[in-house]
Amino acid sequence: MGNVVITIARHFGSGGKTVGEMLAKDLGINCYEKEIIRMASEDSGISELLFNQADEKLKRTPLFFGKAKKGEYKGKLIAPGSDEFVSDHNLFNYQAKIIRELAEKESCVIIGRAADYVLKDYPNVVRVFVHASKEYCVQQAIERASYIGKDYEKFVEKTDKYRSDFYRYYTGQEWTDARNYDLCLNSERLGYEGTMDAIEAYIKVRFGELPHA
């Protein structure tokens, strides 16, 4: 079979990242998340710091981004020398370029970065959204955290708000719209292993077999 790419969007605390890592390990394929920023930096020659700063700016100024002009991702890169070369959207375009190259090169799991939207027209992509109740996500955040004194409920809400704003700002779409995904799975009901099994079962039905490295 050809390459199969599984993109995973997830509520904070739902364990979506863990499920993605488990899935990649079980299939013997790579899992990408923050590595995409590093790869985009190397490809563009733009400092990795600028990519991270763009994310931080969105976290700090959600009201600005909520009112800012939203641009659906078109995939066109802005050339060096342009005033817009290091703009937020061009930084996203370079990340999207890496995501497309990965999808064409290998079977893999991609966590976040609006990869489901970037690859929406690719026939070899399984787009997954992992969700759970707020109560479950908060409890998971508490159990997995290595620090104390944080208002975990607000932290979970703020993180999901950032992910929603990121998705809307760069794609013009709604992050939690089920129509953007092939599978929406409740990890609270299924557990992490059950969620992974459900993804693998879907892949078998759709493609006839599981991908491998």
Side-chain angles (χ1 to χ4, degrees):
M1 68 183 298
N3 298 332
V4 173
V5 178
I6 303 98
T7 68
I8 296 184
R10 73 285 186 215
H11 280 153
F12 183 82
S14 69
K17 180 180 178 181
T18 300
V19 169
E21 292 170 341
M22 290 170 57
L23 179 64
K25 182 177 181 180
D26 193 56
L27 297 176
I29 60 179
N30 290 319
C31 182
Y32 297 98
E33 187 197 15
K34 293 181 180 178
E35 296 87 351
I36 290 172
I37 292 179
R38 174 184 56 78
M39 296 164 74
S41 172
E42 292 173 354
D43 184 69
S44 64
I46 300 171
S47 169
E48 189 172 339
L49 179 62
L50 290 179
F51 285 90
N52 292 322
Q53 285 177 344
D55 283 359
E56 286 302 316
K57 183 166 61 173
L58 179 53
K59 289 178 182 178
R60 291 195 307 269
T61 57
L63 292 178
F64 167 76
F65 280 89
K67 296 176 182 178
K69 182 179 179 181
K70 305 173 184 67
E72 182 179 339
Y73 163 71
K74 301 295 185 182
K76 184 177 180 181
L77 295 171
I78 299 172
S82 167
D83 291 341
E84 297 297 312
F85 180 61
V86 294
S87 66
D88 297 331
H89 282 284
N90 203 41
L91 294 176
F92 179 80
N93 289 344
Y94 269 105
Q95 294 174 68
K97 177 176 182 285
I98 297 300
I99 289 169
R100 295 198 313 273
E101 290 175 350
L102 289 171
E104 292 163 3
K105 181 180 68 173
E106 63 179 275
S107 292
C108 61
V109 176
I110 302 177
I111 309 292
R113 313 315 297 177
D116 60 276
Y117 188 85
V118 172
L119 301 176
K120 64 185 177 66
D121 296 322
Y122 283 58
N124 63 327
V125 175
V126 175
R127 302 178 298 166
V128 180
F129 189 92
V130 179
H131 63 95
S133 70
K134 185 168 70 173
E135 292 76 15
Y136 177 84
C137 291
V138 170
Q139 186 59 40
Q140 291 299 304
I142 292 172
E143 291 178 4
R144 291 172 176 269
S146 58
Y147 42 77
I148 59 175
K150 181 178 288 294
D151 186 328
Y152 286 96
E153 184 171 348
K154 287 185 178 179
F155 183 69
V156 168
E157 290 176 352
K158 184 176 180 180
T159 302
D160 280 347
K161 176 68 165 54
Y162 158 70
R163 291 176 178 175
S164 179
D165 288 345
F166 178 96
Y167 194 90
R168 187 184 305 111
Y169 182 63
Y170 290 115
T171 73
Q173 303 294 310
E174 293 302 317
W175 180 55
T176 55
D177 188 337
R179 292 171 294 184
N180 294 330
Y181 307 98
D182 300 299
L183 289 174
C184 293
L185 299 171
N186 188 329
S187 58
E188 182 179 6
R189 298 280 189 262
L190 295 174
Y192 292 176
E193 188 168 344
T195 302
M196 180 190 75
D197 290 343
I199 297 171
E200 291 187 352
Y202 175 87
I203 293 172
K204 286 182 181 178
V205 170
R206 180 170 162 186
F207 296 103
E209 61 180 313
L210 293 174
H212 53 79

